[in-house]
Amino acid sequence: MKKICIIGLGYIGLPTAGMLATNGYIVAGFDINTEAVNTINEGRIHIEEPGLEELVKIAVNSGKLKAYTQPQQADVYIIAVPTPVRENKKACMDYVEAATNSILDLLKPGNLVILESTSPPATTTKLMVPLLERTGLKIGEELFVAYCPEKVLPGQIIRELVENKRIVGGINQKSAQMAKEVYETFVKGEIILTDSTTAEMVKIMENTYRDVNIALANELAKISYKLGINAWEVVKFANLHPRVNLHSPGPGVGGHCISVDPWFIVEQNPELAILISHAREINDSMPAFTYNMVLEQVKEIANPKVSVLGLTYKPDIDDIRESPAIEIVKMLKNNPRINISICDPHVKGFGENLVELELALKDSDCILLVVNHKEFASMNPAEVSQLVKNKVIIDTRNSLNRTDWESEGFKYVLLGDGKTSHAHMLSHHVQQ
Ligand code: SAJ
């Protein structure tokens, strides 16, 4: 029976711990968050993720998974701690450094250390290996080191942890092979072996590919708005092409992945990563673009009430990290004319503005849908029209049915749709 110590019990570390503990390993989870440790040892979880609580309960009740506030001796150590970017968009590797240092005096010959956190290329060889050499163990012969990123989609983590193909990057062949043996106990997807720096770049490029494509869609939205066409129609029809996959415009790109990982490449190659850095700037300009859409709709109202629907970075999860909605709320709050109410059924404790849907909609002069949570898709326009003062709804996700809302007298404004706003101006022009 092999023992594994997982350092970091968050969105990735905890599901991974549960998977390994229910597939033949004794797992000691280590996290500096005492509350999370206690919650886990009671068989409960501290994050929202479908199916995770069930997995953790089985793992803990079987005695195979236990959480600690200190790292524990093991055969394999997996580091899954945050790698955020600082305000200046430089990578913050403090948690990876601290996690590595926390296990140095536990390491023994034959041990394997795996880094899972998304990291700038060469982190494993240039940051971790020099720290691990302090043990006096011969790296690659006595102590093995690998990099193995995950690509699970929050909201689908349990299924994707098993089904997704995985790439394993070793500092040498033996390290990669040893890491593969750990993952193949629960990964049904193909496991590909390579070197650690390639694996680090693969992970970052997966998310950078997505960020650049989202930026393309957002730039299309701005241009369509100006041209008086609907970007969503362009996306829908262009994607009929067998090899075209235009992404969706939106109010901005959030989460601790897509909005973060590309900066790791820009930081290392500022003179070469032109497209990548411009894509980041385009996506980070969308909260202001959305804010200006609101101003346009309430410019004739002295002290408008704006109802913000959704705070998280994407639907039906509770994560508000890097959420564009937070940026938009900040801009609205900084406007002395505007009062706001926020509703997000998935978020707890975001201060006084967070209220139930009905209260958020009451006397509204403009509804702004920022996140297409399922709760908002099921809003009934007839009921909503009884609550609001001014019938305007801005949909930044193309998630509502225009006809349903317009038939209740609402002005339905869609991000990236220049047709209706031009039609409005044209009709206005005709009236004159
Ligand atoms: N978004 C758009 N338009 C789109 C797609 C997304 O505006 O067409 C926005 C979303 O609203 C959200 C942000 O981008 O604010 C990120 O959304 P996401 O769907 O990429 O979700 P993440 O960040 O939770 O998951 C991504 C996934 N990576 C890829 O799809 C390449 C996931 O597989 C990764 O595991 C995850 O990042 C990660 O942890 O790296």
Side-chain angles (χ1 to χ4, degrees), residues 290 292-301 304-309 360-361 363-369 379 381 384-395 400 405-406 408-414 424:
T290 304
N292 288 324
M293 285 180 72
V294 174
L295 293 188
E296 173 65 22
Q297 297 308 322
V298 300
K299 65 188 176 193
E300 325 258 329
I301 304 167
K305 172 183 174 179
V306 177
S307 314
V308 177
L309 303 189
L361 294 172
D363 300 332
S364 175
D365 290 299
C366 176
I367 303 169
L368 173 65
L369 185 138
M379 282 191 295
V384 175
S385 69
Q386 300 305 314
L387 288 167
V388 302
K389 200 155 80 184
N390 193 24
K391 293 182 183 180
V392 175
I393 186 158
I394 298 175
D395 182 358
L400 300 173
W405 290 86
E406 286 182 341
E408 286 299 332
F410 273 86
K411 183 182 178 191
Y412 173 85
V413 182
L414 176 62
H424 170 69

Side-chain angles (χ1 to χ4, degrees), residues 151-152 154 203 207 210 247-248 254 257-258 313-314 397:
K151 58 190 74 163
V152 293
K203 169 62 193 175
N207 285 345
R210 190 162 174 80
H247 286 30
S248 303
C257 319
I258 305 293
Y313 79 87
K314 68 178 199 176
R397 300 287 185 174

